[in-house]
Amino acid sequence: MLEEITKAISVLEKGGLILYPTDTIWGIGCDATNEEAVQKIYSLKKRADSKALLCLVANDAMLEKYVDHIPDVAYDLIDLSERPITIIYDQPRGIAKNLVAEDNTLGIRIASDKFCQYLINNFKKPLVSTSANISGEPTPKNFGQISDTILKGVDYAVALYRDKENGAPSSIIKLSSDATVKVIRT
């Protein structure tokens, strides 16, 4: 695992794209603070950059570094959720501008699997995480279903867990600074 983390970080530090297993699906990732790298993902996925992407952080401390105000209920939701949960926060900071939605929000998930946690901790920055497909096409259920376009479009594909089926997508909840809670996907 350490060798894969080292290879992935080398690509991320150069502004490259990786294909990696997350706690939910195989994802395309990059440095969430690098606008040029984020733009490469939009281009590869043929996705309008008005459609926001989400990012993964390793722990609460990293989350707090990139969000101005985290409502207390967010910690409860994260702790009590039985599956991965992405929370959309107001006023992210220190993130690539083209990753932030037009309403100044960003979906962030604390990674729950060891590989992602180690990768993000060692990289010391959040990672973009978006499904490994062209926009509008079905999400691949496993590594073997990822299209050649995506495989050729990334700079490195992590050589771990390629035989694993994807888990369920994360729940998505929007928590506004004014205490409004909106369930986007259960």
Side-chain angles (χ1 to χ4, degrees):
M1 183 184 308
L2 189 57
E3 183 179 337
E4 290 301 310
I5 288 170
T6 302
K7 288 177 182 177
I9 288 173
S10 174
V11 169
L12 293 167
E13 287 174 341
K14 294 174 187 155
L17 305 185
I18 63 169
L19 185 61
Y20 68 114
T22 73
D23 45 359
T24 56
I25 60 172
W26 272 86
I28 302 170
C30 72
D31 176 350
T33 67
N34 181 327
E35 280 189 54
E36 289 177 17
V38 172
Q39 187 54 51
K40 289 178 189 177
I41 289 182
Y42 284 120
S43 297
L44 176 59
K45 286 184 64 82
K46 298 179 173 70
R47 181 175 173 149
D49 64 9
S50 60
K51 287 189 160 199
L53 303 171
L54 68 92
C55 68
L56 298 179
V57 294
N59 50 44
D60 291 351
M62 187 177 278
L63 174 65
E64 291 162 2
K65 182 177 177 184
Y66 292 97
V67 177
D68 261 351
H69 172 73
I70 301 170
D72 289 338
V73 70
Y75 297 106
D76 294 333
L77 289 168
I78 293 164
D79 290 343
L80 298 172
S81 182
E82 293 180 10
R83 66 181 225 225
I85 183 168
T86 300
I87 299 178
I88 300 172
Y89 298 95
D90 287 339
Q91 301 172 322
R93 62 177 182 240
I95 296 291
K97 288 179 177 49
N98 55 347
L99 189 56
V100 178
E102 290 177 5
D103 63 352
N104 198 26
T105 61
L106 177 64
I108 302 175
R109 184 168 75 244
I110 296 176
S112 59
D113 73 338
K114 294 295 179 217
F115 173 75
C116 283
Q117 288 174 344
Y118 291 149
L119 175 60
I120 297 164
N121 264 327
N122 283 285
F123 185 53
K124 297 179 178 43
K125 295 182 204 174
L127 292 182
V128 169
S129 181
T130 183
S131 56
N133 61 315
I134 302 297
S135 193
E137 292 182 1
T139 301
K141 295 188 184 338
N142 56 45
F143 184 85
Q145 290 184 359
I146 298 170
S147 75
D148 283 345
T149 302
I150 297 295
L151 291 170
K152 290 175 184 170
V154 298
D155 299 293
Y156 183 68
V158 172
L160 294 173
Y161 312 117
R162 290 188 176 182
D163 55 349
K164 184 181 125 190
E165 289 292 313
N166 286 347
S170 67
S171 300
I172 302 176
I173 296 176
K174 184 173 184 176
L175 295 181
S176 299
S177 296
D178 66 2
T180 304
V181 177
K182 182 177 180 184
V183 177
I184 308 292
R185 179 173 70 201
T186 57

